Amino acid sequence: MPGISQVRQSAFLLNHKTNYSIQIQLNHVLVPVTAAAIVESGLKTLLIVGEGRRLKVFDNESHQVICILQIFQSQVVHGVQCQWDAKRGHLVCLVWGGRAITVLHLKFDTSDFCVVSLTEELLTDDWISDACFLTNARISTGDPSSLPQAIFLTSHNILYTLLSESSPPSQDPGKLSCKLIAAGPTSVLYSANVVVLANGEAFIAAGTVFGEVLVWSSNLAADHNDSGGSKSASLLHTFRGHEGSVFGVTIAATPSTVDHGLSSCVVASCSDDRTIRMWDLSCAAGSSTRASIKTGFRSQPMATEIDSEHCVASIMGHLSRIWSLRFLSYSNEAVRWISFGEDSTAQTWQLVRKLARGTSTSTKKPPSYEIQHDESYAYHVGKDIWAAAVDLQDPVCLILTGGADGRAVSYNIPNADVQRWTADITLLQEETVKRGPVSCGASTDDLSQRLSPAERAFSAIQGRWHLHRVLESAIPTYPSGSFTGTATLTQRLPTNEDYDAEYLYVEEGELITRHGLVMRGSRRYAYRLQKAARAITAWFVKTDVVSSVDYLFHQVEFGDFPCQIPKDESFPVDSMSTAKGYHLCVNDDYVAEYEFQYEGTALSQWNLKYKVKGPKKDYTASAHYTRTSKVDNLLAENMNTVEEGDLAHGRKRDIGMDTLKNYCWIGCSEVITTTARGYIFLGTLDRNNTTGSLRAPADVTGATKPKTFSWCLVDRIPELHSYSIAVSISNHTVIVGAANGSLYCYQRSSQEIRIFPKLARKISGLFAGELESSKETHRNVAAIACCVGDATAYYFSFITKDAKLKDVSNFVKLTLPPNFIVTSVCFTAVEDLLILGSRSGAVCFYDRSLFHSTGPIPACCVIQQIHVDDAVTTIKTVPKDDSEIIGNFLLTAGRDGKFALHRVHTRREEGQYTIKLERLHTTVPPFGPNIEGACFDSENQDLLLWGFRSTDFVVWNETKRIEVMKVPCGGAHRSWAYLPSNDGQNGGVFIWTKAANCNVQAQSKASHRVLQPGGHGREIKAMAICPLKMKFGSDYGHLVATGAEDTMIRISFATGNKVDSSQAMRCLGVISKHNTGIQQLQWSSDGRFLFSAAGLEEFYVWRIQRVPCLGIGFVCNSQCPKVTESSDLRIMSFDVQTVLGDVKMQHDKCVVSIAYSNSTVRLWSLDASTSGQGFKLLSFGTYTSCCLTQIKLFQLGLKPYLLTAGTDGYIAFWPVRTLQEQVESRFNLPEHHSGPSAESFDSDLNWNCRYRIHQSSIKCLTFHYLPDGGVIIATGGDDNAVAFTHISCNTGSPNLPICSTLLLTRAHASTVTGIQCFNSRLGTDGSDGRTLWNFATVGNDQWLKSWILTIDSRKRGAAGLSVCKGTRSYSSVADGSCMQITPEGYGETRRVMVAGIGVETWNVTDV
């Protein structure tokens, strides 16, 4: 090829030598966690985590790393089992990965762990699936010099014993060897679980590629047989039913038999088909023979036709594939386990016996079971929980998980730091109740005796129930089966004034017919109570939105009727009432039979049976209702009682209609609540007497259940009937507003209610807070009240003394801007401003120095579109930190799902304020879109955000990027209140109303503990290092931006001072604007801008700057215009260069060259100083049909070029006009010119020459300028080759550069994906014309290699290029996609960073 010469690697490497060498040492690793274990030592609980080739040992109490050990040379750790040797005081770890296995002994010291011995890794012939220690089992090896250590199972179902020549501790750890024990049924395994029983029997459960679960055993203590020295294997069971590969199996063994019919041992399995199945290992179950089957799942019968009797129960589990599971408990009380899936969640389940209806308890029919879902734990991001360990510590289970995001998390089930309360409250007549504690339960029995059966049943039936209905049809055309779901009776206002109360009955669930057909179903009715007639009626409802009442279904007539429904003996019954109803539907008779079973005064369960008879119908439907709430209801019993005063005076009042309206915390353990009937209650939590919400129902129900939430009646105010609104001040005062404009103030210290001036209209908003002042030393409090239809906000300020609220010191009317509905208020110290947020996304400012005047105060400034058109829910001042950032800052959050940080610029001229908000940071937390509140923790200044994600209340720590609290409350449309603990522990207390019941959850710490923070949950595809060095706290380092397939950009602070600590690469922020995987990232030369590119033609410019508390802030400054209507192109590569002659970047002008996936190249000018569309198209061109993969803008001599590389292995040169001239002509275009057109540029961007370097696609490219004016280009390709190309000017043909290439054909064993130059230096004497260049490469073979390139300027062409090998190190980063080098600084160690599935940092030093 003209102008290019190539030299093969083999001929060169044999003849070249150099005395210069470098050393590469591993500094930091963040890769997926692939192994986990928990072990109890003599003094503490240790958490073992395997990542890459290493093990990390954490202290469970302090969550700190105790030691880090490299186990394998070039193999990832896949599994670890640990045991504590109490005699020697050693921690013994059995570690395996791939074909390698080894044994590690650690000795515990008061200061640290020290390695006693690490045996040389043993490479087996096959992949190791599982292994376990030989603790007490005896095994005969036939060799007295070898000591059995463990047994392990390979992926071809062969069992080996692991032997050691000597027993630690000793100076020589001894070599490991293995010996065949037995071979199980021939198969290829995806998973296995090996246990050794006390009698010396190895018990194996193996999951195969084709959906089988094989259970077999081998007696380890038995003598060898004569054939090959192996022991015999017994196939016990072959279970089939999964319709996908079995990814996880686990054995649960217990010495006693479970009393409800299960054997003493079961196996649980999970599969590619997303199901979890439980298999019984009793003698009658399973098959001990294994018939030959065809490979593939389509050739097998459906799962419902296979082993249906042997499968105890099954359920569809996660939203994606399930990788593994572990048992939490297996006993007479409960069978519970936890599963881990590809959806990065852990979920707990329990096996329960189905309630058989219509059968006698003496029937010999085997019991049936079902699997119920308990809880979900989403503490990882992205995909896959690869590692998990469980430690059963009565009464809690310690869980340790590690995911593909590199995060290691531990938590308890149930969590002792999370408390949920139950309590009792009785609303009594105000004439008979004095202020003070209300006696809960004293009058409940008396009232229940005075109620009619209809009133009693109607009062108790409200709420949510678990529903199980059995359909028995005598006509084959009408289905028979079972319906399982939930039924909810929700209170609503009576739609007919003749009735005193009304419920909307809604049931939803799943019907499974006897033929296996599954159907979703739902139905709705209305139940009405008529107190005068003491009758309940059931009504059909319409299908409209509000479920309007249609016509009568039947009347529920109570009487002493015989009950035909079998009783459930597991529920205690103290009293019972029965009722009947009848309905004629054309020719069909409907007979309804009710049975209400009471436990004390509470309705424990109730039954409803329909008998339907007609010409085409003949069936019965027997339904059984039980309570379902996992969170204890605070007001389940007594909120549904009738007031004694109403009964005595014969007043017509609703029964069970009083509900809690507002909650206001006045401390971490006290809350003020108002009710619909005008009551004000003080609730107090007893944190020393709690009930765990995750215990079995038998543990938390019953007459002896402790009452840990006490209520005290404060007062009853008639004006608060039906409507009230409340707000708390400084955790000691509550202000309550009424519909008639009245304002009331309750103070905890004096326990009295004061009356404030009455406003003219209904109070629609109340806001209060401490009144900060930049001029005053004391702190007062203030409140703002807003009224319906009033364009005025009313401002109150109060003087406080000794935590007591004195008289109103100031009362001011504030004139609101047009259509301004207040949703948030900030009493700030920023220039004594009062800031109001609106429902339409605007904020307005008031000058507090004018509040002494008597007239209405107008807003001094209004700023629109702070959160687009959505409500501003929170405005907070940002506290000062140690970053020495000057200025005043505000944080705002809104219902657009975003929060933002603003710098406040104020200027006062002639008594007038000019206010400007400069947005420094905006992002979307991983919940929403409802962000309801925020605060900065006073202890550590962490930013906490809270709001709602679907039906969950979520508290998010933005500083640490972790979810600290999640409560399944039902969603945002309810009364609730949250109080953060502000003690640096991420605790808080949350109270809410759900289904007319009040619930409380408090936690002293975060819901889980992050042992090591992770990174991306998907493969990293792009990485860029900021060229400027920064300081955070006492550490110096660089900002590193990484982009992945999860569409996220993470900006981290990387420092070399903290090796492998959580601070070595600390995440400062996450950008989530892109819609596809990130393709490339690049920083500007001054570090103020970050450029990102992805699919769908997305190219964004981000302004990066320091902000207080969060570290850095980022906002999207510009977006490159789309070039196609469909926007379906992917940006393959881009390059950003400062405009020549504008070295200081005074106007932020630069040139952006972009290569698109349709082989087009575009050159854009960018003025980054202007927000919005700062792009203008300069020129464009088209390459061949091959896709471009790389693009660079460089200068050869005085001539600028675009350099591109593509999938054809060529590099191409595109001459470009003088950039300064071209850019200046474009920046001087008229203002109205914003898009490309034929008049604004010349489409003359064409490549004039190209040269082939690689056989196929060029995956990576970097270039550097040489002292002689030439350019050296280093490339890596799909052909596993690395090439160094010298480019020089051609004096004869200026437009045809001269290229000379040195090609290393087998540089890596697979695709070369990253190449960078990390050092250059002169030759031996500095005058021989030679320069040495150090390059690093990485490939998909997971090897990091260094190369020393020598360029001799005295020789022409490829003869002047020579290279020798440097170091070679194994990288734990799989699918490495990019590599970057930290900028060189004086006296600073250069670092190589490799990214792919994880990130690694390597220190580079000269030797």
Side-chain angles (χ1 to χ4, degrees):
M1 183 169 294
I4 189 169
S5 59
Q6 298 180 354
V7 178
R8 294 298 175 183
Q9 171 191 4
S10 56
F12 165 73
L13 291 176
L14 289 175
N15 299 322
H16 182 74
K17 295 182 180 180
T18 179
N19 295 325
Y20 173 66
S21 62
I22 60 172
Q23 183 178 8
I24 298 180
Q25 292 180 333
L26 186 62
N27 174 266
H28 171 68
V29 178
L30 179 60
V31 293
V33 176
T34 52
I38 305 174
V39 61
E40 295 288 341
S41 70
L43 299 176
K44 58 182 66 178
T45 301
L46 304 176
L47 309 179
I48 317 296
V49 168
E51 57 171 7
R53 300 173 292 166
R54 308 184 307 172
L55 283 184
K56 284 185 177 180
V57 182
F58 292 87
D59 179 10
N60 183 48
E61 194 67 29
S62 64
H63 313 145
Q64 298 298 316
V65 178
I66 297 177
C67 63
I68 304 174
L69 302 168
Q70 179 174 325
I71 304 301
F72 298 123
Q73 295 298 320
S74 59
Q75 175 59 52
V76 174
V77 175
H78 288 151
V80 57
Q81 285 229 351
C82 302
Q83 65 180 13
W84 182 256
D85 189 344
K87 292 182 179 180
R88 296 187 176 98
H90 290 180
L91 174 66
V92 186
C93 300
L94 178 65
V95 191
W96 66 92
R99 297 188 303 118
I101 189 170
T102 188
V103 178
L104 170 69
H105 285 251
L106 297 175
K107 185 176 181 180
F108 180 72
D109 197 321
T110 55
S111 59
D112 206 343
F113 269 94
C114 62
V115 179
V116 176
S117 65
L118 174 62
T119 57
E120 182 180 353
E121 63 185 71
L122 171 68
L123 291 180
T124 64
D125 296 331
D126 200 358
W127 194 280
I128 299 174
S129 296
D130 194 30
C132 72
F133 282 106
L134 291 172
T135 307
N136 298 318
R138 296 181 178 179
I139 180 171
S140 175
T141 63
D143 186 1
S145 63
S146 59
L147 178 66
Q149 294 277 326
I151 59 174
F152 61 89
L153 186 74
T154 66
S155 60
H156 282 81
N157 213 14
I158 301 177
L159 188 64
Y160 291 87
T161 180
L162 184 66
L163 306 174
S164 175
E165 291 183 358
S166 62
S167 177
S170 66
Q171 297 300 324
D172 182 8
K175 294 184 178 180
L176 294 177
S177 61
C178 63
K179 192 168 186 178
L180 174 67
I181 297 178
T186 303
S187 57
V188 179
L189 306 184
Y190 249 128
S191 58
N193 186 204
V194 180
V195 296
V196 178
L197 304 181
N199 60 0
E201 184 178 10
F203 200 64
I204 298 100
T208 71
V209 173
F210 294 108
E212 294 177 303
V213 176
L214 306 177
V215 182
W216 60 283
S217 66
S218 179
N219 192 348
L220 304 180
D223 294 333
H224 295 262
N225 57 27
D226 296 333
S227 57
S230 63
K231 303 179 187 298
S232 61
S234 301
L235 177 61
L236 305 178
H237 305 276
T238 301
F239 297 122
R240 300 188 182 96
H242 283 294
E243 297 177 10
S245 300
V246 179
F247 291 141
V249 290
T250 185
I251 302 171
T254 181
S256 61
T257 301
V258 177
D259 61 356
H260 44 58
L262 288 179
S263 71
S264 61
C265 188
V266 297
V267 170
S269 60
C270 57
S271 168
D272 192 19
D273 61 8
R274 299 188 297 168
T275 63
I276 298 173
R277 293 176 178 268
M278 186 76 66
W279 311 93
D280 192 354
L281 298 186
S282 62
C283 297
S287 173
S288 60
T289 61
R290 187 180 183 220
S292 60
I293 61 172
K294 296 181 179 179
T295 58
F297 299 104
R298 294 183 181 273
S299 61
Q300 299 187 40
M302 294 296 291
T304 55
E305 302 173 7
I306 304 177
D307 286 343
S308 58
E309 295 182 359
H310 307 149
C311 182
V312 176
S314 66
I315 193 172
M316 185 69 71
H318 296 243
L319 297 176
S320 57
R321 293 176 291 184
I322 309 172
W323 297 130
S324 62
L325 32 77
R326 303 286 189 275
F327 276 95
L328 300 179
S329 62
Y330 187 77
S331 63
N332 295 345
E333 288 77 20
V335 178
R336 300 178 63 241
W337 64 94
I338 184 169
S339 59
F340 312 92
E342 186 183 24
D343 57 1
S344 73
T345 66
Q347 303 190 33
T348 54
W349 313 82
Q350 63 175 327
L351 185 70
V352 296
R353 184 171 178 176
K354 288 184 179 180
L355 299 176
R357 292 291 168 186
T359 59
S360 173
T361 56
S362 61
T363 306
K364 298 299 183 179
K365 183 178 179 180
S368 58
Y369 303 89
E370 63 181 357
I371 299 174
Q372 291 182 355
H373 181 266
D374 283 342
E375 296 286 343
S376 294
Y377 305 89
Y379 299 144
H380 294 268
V381 298
K383 295 175 61 177
D384 302 316
I385 294 180
W386 290 127
V390 173
D391 185 24
L392 305 180
Q393 302 173 343
D394 188 39
V396 300
C397 299
L398 176 61
I399 311 296
L400 172 64
T401 60
D405 57 356
R407 178 180 293 181
V409 174
S410 67
Y411 50 95
N412 294 326
I413 300 179
N415 193 341
D417 297 323
V418 177
Q419 303 172 356
R420 294 173 180 174
W421 277 264
T422 181
D424 223 342
I425 182 172
T426 304
L427 301 184
L428 301 177
Q429 174 194 352
E430 58 184 326
E431 291 84 1
T432 61
V433 178
K434 299 180 181 180
R435 287 193 182 96
V438 177
S439 177
C440 302
S443 60
T444 303
D445 294 334
D446 297 336
L447 288 175
S448 63
Q449 295 298 325
R450 299 185 186 186
L451 298 180
S452 67
E455 292 170 329
R456 185 184 183 191
F458 194 87
S459 175
I461 204 173
Q462 180 184 1
R464 187 178 178 88
W465 301 85
H466 175 74
L467 167 62
H468 181 76
R469 179 182 292 117
V470 177
L471 296 172
E472 296 285 349
S473 176
I475 302 176
T477 57
Y478 197 88
S480 297
S482 62
F483 179 89
T484 303
T486 59
T488 305
L489 289 96
T490 306
Q491 165 202 339
R492 65 181 186 180
L493 292 176
T495 54
N496 190 318
E497 62 180 9
D498 294 334
Y499 295 91
D500 300 279
E502 182 175 310
Y503 293 148
L504 176 63
Y505 173 92
V506 179
E507 73 173 46
E508 294 178 337
E510 189 175 78
L511 173 65
I512 303 177
T513 68
R514 291 182 176 177
H515 301 289
L517 182 64
V518 180
M519 296 178 289
R520 295 289 302 178
S522 65
R523 65 175 63 183
R524 298 189 173 207
Y525 299 112
Y527 280 93
R528 290 171 165 176
L529 173 67
Q530 204 167 22
K531 179 186 169 185
R534 296 195 170 187
I536 300 175
T537 51
W539 300 74
F540 292 104
V541 296
K542 299 178 181 179
T543 58
D544 54 10
V545 177
V546 296
S547 299
S548 305
V549 176
D550 196 357
Y551 58 93
L552 181 66
F553 183 13
H554 61 267
Q555 180 171 335
V556 183
E557 299 178 355
F558 284 82
D560 189 12
F561 303 109
C563 181
Q564 303 297 326
I565 306 173
K567 298 180 176 60
D568 190 346
E569 300 298 336
S570 61
F571 287 90
V573 177
D574 297 333
S575 60
M576 183 173 59
S577 63
T578 56
K580 279 191 175 183
Y582 173 76
H583 174 71
L584 176 62
C585 180
V586 190
N587 297 322
D588 301 325
D589 292 315
Y590 286 76
V591 177
E593 298 178 351
Y594 291 83
E595 180 188 38
F596 302 94
Q597 300 177 6
Y598 297 92
E599 179 188 354
T601 61
L603 182 64
S604 60
Q605 60 176 336
W606 61 288
N607 304 311
L608 173 57
K609 182 176 183 179
Y610 284 106
K611 297 179 181 179
V612 183
K613 196 81 170 179
K616 297 182 179 180
K617 295 181 181 180
D618 187 1
Y619 69 90
T620 60
S622 302
H624 180 63
Y625 298 83
T626 55
R627 285 289 185 189
T628 64
S629 178
K630 295 177 184 176
V631 180
D632 296 328
N633 297 325
L634 298 180
L635 313 176
E637 287 184 29
N638 297 310
M639 281 294 289
N640 293 322
T641 61
V642 184
E643 296 185 24
E644 186 176 3
D646 296 335
L647 291 175
H649 295 86
R651 286 180 263 180
K652 182 178 180 180
R653 299 292 299 272
D654 294 343
I655 294 179
M657 289 299 111
D658 200 9
T659 57
L660 300 179
K661 288 294 186 181
N662 301 282
Y663 301 107
C664 290
W665 289 105
I666 56 173
C668 61
S669 298
E670 292 184 324
V671 62
I672 287 291
T673 182
T674 62
T675 74
R677 289 178 177 171
Y679 287 98
I680 299 178
F681 282 92
L682 172 65
T684 304
L685 302 178
D686 179 10
R687 291 180 180 265
N688 297 322
N689 192 5
T690 62
T691 57
S693 63
L694 296 178
R695 296 181 186 172
D699 297 330
V700 296
T701 60
T704 61
K705 181 170 60 177
K707 297 177 180 180
T708 58
F709 194 108
S710 60
W711 291 95
C712 178
L713 179 62
V714 176
D715 206 340
R716 184 179 186 186
I717 302 175
E719 287 78 3
L720 301 182
H721 190 277
S722 299
Y723 177 83
S724 61
I725 186 171
V727 65
S728 62
I729 308 176
S730 302
N731 295 336
H732 57 70
T733 303
V734 174
I735 299 178
V736 184
N740 65 349
S742 298
L743 287 171
Y744 305 90
C745 176
Y746 170 77
Q747 289 189 267
R748 182 68 182 95
S749 58
S750 61
Q751 298 186 8
E752 62 180 7
I753 293 180
R754 300 171 55 194
I755 301 177
F756 283 171
K758 182 179 179 181
L759 302 182
R761 300 187 181 186
K762 178 181 179 179
I763 298 177
S764 59
L766 274 177
F767 311 91
E770 288 191 354
L771 189 60
E772 301 177 3
S773 176
S774 60
K775 299 178 181 179
E776 301 175 359
T777 57
H778 63 276
R779 287 196 172 192
N780 295 335
V781 296
I784 285 182
C786 301
C787 298
V788 175
D790 194 348
T792 301
Y794 301 91
Y795 171 89
F796 304 83
S797 62
F798 311 89
I799 298 176
T800 60
K801 185 178 181 180
D802 299 329
K804 294 182 180 181
L805 207 64
K806 300 299 182 181
D807 295 333
V808 176
S809 62
N810 198 5
F811 176 76
V812 180
K813 295 181 180 180
L814 306 178
T815 302
L816 297 175
N819 302 318
F820 196 98
I821 300 176
V822 181
T823 55
S824 56
V825 177
C826 178
F827 305 91
T828 174
V830 179
E831 300 295 337
D832 289 332
L833 293 172
L834 176 69
I835 309 175
L836 275 60
S838 78
R839 186 180 294 176
S840 59
V843 295
C844 66
F845 297 81
Y846 292 89
D847 185 358
R848 278 170 37 196
S849 64
L850 303 177
F851 282 12
H852 60 275
S853 59
T854 57
I857 307 298
C860 61
C861 180
V862 180
I863 301 178
Q864 304 288 342
Q865 299 286 305
I866 291 295
H867 285 277
V868 197
D869 295 325
D870 294 292
V872 180
T873 57
T874 298
I875 307 175
K876 298 288 183 182
T877 57
V878 180
K880 303 292 184 179
D881 61 2
D882 57 357
S883 61
E884 300 179 357
I885 302 176
I886 301 175
N888 296 310
F889 300 87
L890 285 179
L891 178 140
T892 62
R895 292 208 172 99
D896 59 349
K898 300 179 181 178
F899 78 91
L901 262 67
H902 314 265
R903 188 194 302 269
V904 184
H905 299 276
T906 60
R907 185 174 59 184
R908 186 191 291 268
E909 294 181 353
E910 298 180 357
Q912 297 294 325
Y913 260 119
T914 301
I915 302 173
K916 179 183 176 182
L917 293 183
E918 178 190 2
R919 179 167 294 193
L920 305 180
H921 176 71
T922 182
T923 190
V924 180
F927 71 91
N930 295 332
I931 302 178
E932 300 294 343
C935 76
F936 290 92
D937 195 301
S938 58
E939 183 70 21
N940 54 18
Q941 294 188 345
D942 282 1
L943 173 58
L944 299 178
L945 303 168
W946 57 84
F948 294 89
R949 178 179 58 214
S950 184
T951 59
D952 296 332
F953 175 79
V954 176
V955 182
W956 172 259
N957 188 319
E958 175 65 19
T959 305
K960 293 185 172 61
R961 302 290 306 172
I962 59 173
E963 179 183 294
V964 299
M965 186 177 187
K966 185 183 76 170
V967 182
C969 65
H973 302 289
R974 64 197 64 253
S975 298
W976 62 274
Y978 173 69
L979 179 68
S981 61
N982 276 325
D983 58 359
Q985 298 296 320
N986 293 312
V989 57
F990 179 65
I991 185 170
W992 76 100
T993 300
K994 183 178 181 181
N997 295 320
C998 178
N999 310 275
V1000 177
Q1001 175 170 315
Q1003 60 185 54
S1004 58
K1005 299 179 182 178
S1007 57
H1008 60 287
R1009 301 166 293 279
V1010 178
L1011 302 178
Q1012 66 177 25
H1016 291 277
R1018 298 288 302 276
E1019 302 87 344
I1020 298 175
K1021 293 298 184 182
M1023 179 169 57
I1025 301 177
C1026 181
L1028 299 183
K1029 198 171 185 179
M1030 304 184 70
K1031 179 182 179 182
F1032 284 89
S1034 60
D1035 299 324
Y1036 288 89
H1038 295 271
L1039 293 181
V1040 179
T1042 54
E1045 288 293 337
D1046 58 5
T1047 73
M1048 304 295 181
I1049 300 173
R1050 296 175 66 92
I1051 301 180
S1052 305
F1053 178 66
T1055 174
N1057 300 335
K1058 300 178 182 298
V1059 180
D1060 265 295
S1061 70
S1062 60
Q1063 304 297 318
M1065 193 168 178
R1066 185 170 75 251
C1067 180
L1068 300 179
V1070 176
I1071 302 175
S1072 58
K1073 187 176 178 63
H1074 283 280
N1075 295 301
T1076 61
I1078 310 300
Q1079 185 73 18
Q1080 185 180 341
L1081 298 169
Q1082 183 178 335
W1083 289 89
S1084 63
S1085 58
D1086 60 356
R1088 292 191 297 134
F1089 297 98
L1090 176 67
F1091 306 90
S1092 62
L1096 302 178
E1097 304 178 30
E1098 294 176 345
F1099 186 94
Y1100 298 120
V1101 181
W1102 306 92
R1103 184 184 295 272
I1104 311 295
Q1105 51 196 316
R1106 292 291 302 271
V1107 296
C1109 293
L1110 293 181
I1112 63 165
F1114 44 82
V1115 291
C1116 185
N1117 194 71
S1118 302
Q1119 178 180 358
C1120 186
K1122 303 294 180 68
V1123 300
T1124 62
E1125 294 182 359
S1126 58
S1127 299
D1128 59 350
L1129 295 180
R1130 173 173 284 272
I1131 296 177
M1132 303 302 297
S1133 179
F1134 70 88
D1135 191 25
V1136 180
Q1137 296 290 336
T1138 303
V1139 174
L1140 302 181
D1142 187 21
V1143 180
K1144 296 183 179 180
M1145 285 280 288
Q1146 295 177 351
H1147 302 289
D1148 300 320
K1149 295 180 181 179
C1150 53
V1151 175
V1152 182
S1153 53
I1154 301 179
Y1156 296 87
S1157 56
N1158 62 349
S1159 299
T1160 61
V1161 174
R1162 281 173 167 77
L1163 202 62
W1164 302 83
S1165 64
L1166 170 63
D1167 186 356
S1169 62
T1170 61
S1171 299
Q1173 296 293 340
F1175 284 87
K1176 289 183 173 63
L1177 185 61
L1178 299 177
S1179 56
F1180 76 94
T1182 304
Y1183 189 56
T1184 66
S1185 59
C1186 296
C1187 182
L1188 296 175
T1189 59
Q1190 305 290 327
I1191 189 170
K1192 296 292 182 182
L1193 183 62
F1194 74 101
Q1195 188 168 342
L1196 187 61
L1198 298 177
K1199 191 170 184 61
Y1201 285 93
L1202 277 180
L1203 175 69
T1204 61
T1207 56
D1208 55 0
Y1210 283 81
I1211 59 172
F1213 295 88
W1214 308 63
V1216 181
R1217 288 190 300 155
T1218 304
L1219 294 180
Q1220 181 69 21
E1221 173 188 331
Q1222 192 169 190
V1223 170
E1224 287 179 352
S1225 65
R1226 297 304 167 226
F1227 279 120
N1228 293 329
L1229 291 173
E1231 290 295 331
H1232 66 274
H1233 184 88
S1234 59
S1237 66
E1239 293 78 20
S1240 63
F1241 61 86
D1242 299 325
S1243 59
D1244 56 356
L1245 190 59
N1246 298 301
W1247 58 274
N1248 64 346
C1249 59
R1250 60 177 186 154
Y1251 300 98
R1252 185 166 193 150
I1253 296 180
H1254 293 270
Q1255 295 180 359
S1256 54
S1257 178
I1258 297 177
K1259 291 294 186 180
C1260 52
L1261 181 150
T1262 185
F1263 76 94
H1264 297 272
Y1265 293 103
L1266 300 176
D1268 60 0
V1271 175
I1272 185 70
I1273 296 177
T1275 56
D1278 236 349
D1279 54 358
N1280 307 347
V1282 172
F1284 300 99
T1285 302
H1286 181 273
I1287 303 175
S1288 58
C1289 296
N1290 190 340
T1291 56
S1293 301
N1295 291 330
L1296 296 176
I1298 298 176
C1299 297
S1300 302
T1301 297
L1302 175 66
L1303 183 67
L1304 309 180
T1305 55
R1306 291 184 296 274
H1308 283 265
S1310 60
T1311 301
V1312 181
T1313 56
I1315 186 169
Q1316 290 291 336
C1317 175
F1318 56 83
N1319 200 1
S1320 64
R1321 58 188 296 171
L1322 297 176
T1324 55
D1325 57 4
S1327 60
D1328 59 355
R1330 290 193 302 125
T1331 56
L1332 303 179
W1333 296 77
N1334 297 319
F1335 285 88
T1337 61
V1338 69
N1340 286 337
D1341 57 358
Q1342 294 186 235
W1343 286 99
L1344 175 65
K1345 299 182 178 182
S1346 65
W1347 312 87
I1348 302 176
L1349 174 67
T1350 302
I1351 303 177
D1352 192 343
S1353 60
R1354 300 170 300 177
K1355 300 179 182 179
R1356 304 178 64 85
L1361 302 177
S1362 59
V1363 68
C1364 69
K1365 290 181 179 179
T1367 60
R1368 177 175 178 264
S1369 302
Y1370 178 81
S1371 172
S1372 299
V1373 177
D1375 293 338
S1377 59
C1378 50
M1379 173 191 292
Q1380 291 293 330
I1381 308 294
T1382 58
E1384 187 173 6
Y1386 178 77
E1388 183 182 357
T1389 302
R1390 300 293 298 272
R1391 295 195 297 275
V1392 178
M1393 300 188 71
V1394 179
I1397 303 181
V1399 177
E1400 274 185 345
T1401 304
W1402 301 75
N1403 290 338
V1404 181
T1405 55
D1406 297 338
V1407 178

